[in-house]
Amino acid sequence: MSTTTTGHLANVLKTHENALLDGWLNGMLSRMVRRDKNAETELRAVASRFLPLVAAAAAKGNSYDIDTPAWSEVRQQLADLSATRVRQGYTPIETATFVFSLKEPVFALLRDSVDDSRELVDETSSVGALFDQLGLYTIEEFTKSREQVIMRQQQELLELSTPVVQLWRDVLALPLIGTLDSARTQVVMENLLQKIIETGASIAIIDITGVPTVDTLVAQHLLKTVAAARLMGADCIISGIRPQIAQTIVHLGVNLEDVITKASLADAFLVALKRVGANVTYSQELA
């Protein structure tokens, strides 16, 4: 199969652009799961821009190799389309159908335009391979865009899952929920240190009530966070030490002797208030 163009595809796209556009859109719309006026209008606009780009690339590049510079604008539009459809919730197949559904109307026009049967077979084969390349490129770009979205969402979830709360003047609380891995520890540390800088707090309570298990790695992450906070001038109290976690820490031989630990956040808060010079008094209502 040759990747050299014969000019038939470019000629068909230019000569029969309106008819091809209508046939292509009808084919795409018949396969669409989600149908609404805005989606159809957007689809027509994208398709109207795409056909002239393909025609220009086929005529200018003299090749159906989409990796050549002549096809750069076509690749860019497909990349933009893929990124947009990731955000809109489309699937990779729905996105690639944008290209694959163009085959049938193009083949029909080629049959009417090319008289020589052998030349028609060669051209149909080459054009089919071209659209296969473009469709696979669309899926590849869709996958890249989706991975970027997932990574960004994971980062946002990390930041949302590590809130630093100011409980009192000079007292911060960092409630942790879920597994504490290396990536999350970095976010935890950055958020805590930033909050210490902003508030000038001298006490930070790290509450691990929501951490399901504590192993050597988790304990090391906690100690790193405590050490970083101390370098910023804030002491740390670790709360939420349940009996099974206490036994695990002892069994692992983790040294927490120089860190204040408490069973609950309330107990840690009382200690923090005393450390900053605040007095807690209890009032009883008259019977």
Side-chain angles (χ1 to χ4, degrees):
M1 182 195 65
S2 174
T3 60
T4 303
T5 65
T6 61
H8 290 304
L9 176 61
N11 182 61
V12 163
L13 294 178
K14 291 178 179 178
T15 306
H16 305 283
E17 181 176 340
N18 292 332
L20 180 56
L21 182 60
D22 290 337
W24 183 23
L25 286 171
N26 289 334
M28 282 192 288
L29 293 175
S30 66
R31 296 178 176 89
M32 285 181 65
V33 177
R34 58 195 83 186
R35 291 288 299 272
D36 61 74
K37 195 65 177 177
N38 290 334
E40 293 180 16
T41 301
E42 179 187 4
L43 188 60
R44 176 174 286 275
V46 175
S48 298
R49 294 193 301 269
F50 185 72
L51 286 180
L53 290 178
V54 175
K60 179 175 61 176
N62 197 34
S63 171
Y64 289 148
D65 183 0
I66 68 169
D67 293 326
T68 58
W71 292 88
S72 60
E73 290 187 60
V74 175
R75 294 196 306 270
Q76 184 59 52
Q77 182 171 4
L78 291 178
D80 294 341
L81 172 69
S82 298
T84 299
R85 293 204 163 186
V86 166
R87 295 191 295 270
Q88 293 173 338
Y90 284 84
T91 66
I93 297 301
E94 287 176 321
T95 304
T97 299
F98 175 82
V99 175
F100 291 139
S101 59
L102 183 56
K103 280 186 177 184
E104 185 176 341
V106 167
F107 288 166
L109 290 172
L110 284 174
R111 287 193 293 269
D112 295 336
S113 303
V114 182
D115 297 327
D116 186 273
S117 59
R118 178 172 294 181
E119 189 176 355
L120 175 61
V121 170
D122 291 342
E123 182 70 3
T124 302
S125 178
S126 297
V127 171
L130 167 66
F131 289 146
D132 287 341
Q133 288 183 72
L134 294 174
L136 292 175
Y137 179 82
T138 304
I139 294 176
E140 181 182 353
E141 289 299 311
F142 183 95
T143 303
K144 290 180 181 178
S145 296
R146 184 167 61 181
E147 288 175 352
Q148 292 174 356
V149 170
I150 292 173
M151 290 178 62
R152 186 170 64 251
Q153 289 174 340
Q154 288 176 338
Q155 182 64 27
E156 291 172 353
L157 286 174
L158 279 176
E159 294 174 356
L160 289 173
S161 63
T162 54
V164 182
V165 183
Q166 184 166 6
L167 296 180
W168 198 263
R169 187 181 61 186
D170 296 335
V171 179
L172 301 176
L174 177 61
L176 298 178
I177 299 175
T179 304
L180 192 63
D181 56 17
S182 299
R184 192 176 178 201
T185 299
Q186 185 64 32
V187 176
V188 166
M189 197 178 299
E190 290 175 358
N191 289 352
L192 179 59
L193 297 183
Q194 183 61 37
K195 198 68 173 180
I196 290 173
I197 293 173
E198 293 175 0
T199 63
S202 58
I203 303 290
I205 302 172
I206 303 176
D207 184 69
I208 62 171
T209 304
V211 177
T213 58
V214 174
D215 54 17
T216 304
L217 188 59
V218 171
Q220 289 175 351
H221 291 327
L222 289 173
L223 290 176
K224 287 180 181 178
T225 304
V226 170
R230 283 178 174 170
L231 289 174
M232 300 300 298
D235 288 331
C236 287
I237 302 173
I238 298 178
S239 64
I241 304 294
R242 303 184 297 278
Q244 59 270 33
I245 288 183
Q247 293 176 15
T248 301
I249 290 175
V250 172
H251 179 72
L252 294 174
V254 177
N255 184 12
L256 293 178
E257 293 181 358
D258 57 344
V259 180
I260 300 175
T261 59
K262 290 295 178 180
S264 68
L265 178 60
D267 293 337
F269 186 41
L270 287 176
V271 173
L273 289 176
K274 292 179 181 179
R275 293 282 297 272
V276 298
N279 294 320
V280 179
T281 57
Y282 299 91
S283 61
Q284 297 180 347
E285 294 182 359
L286 297 176

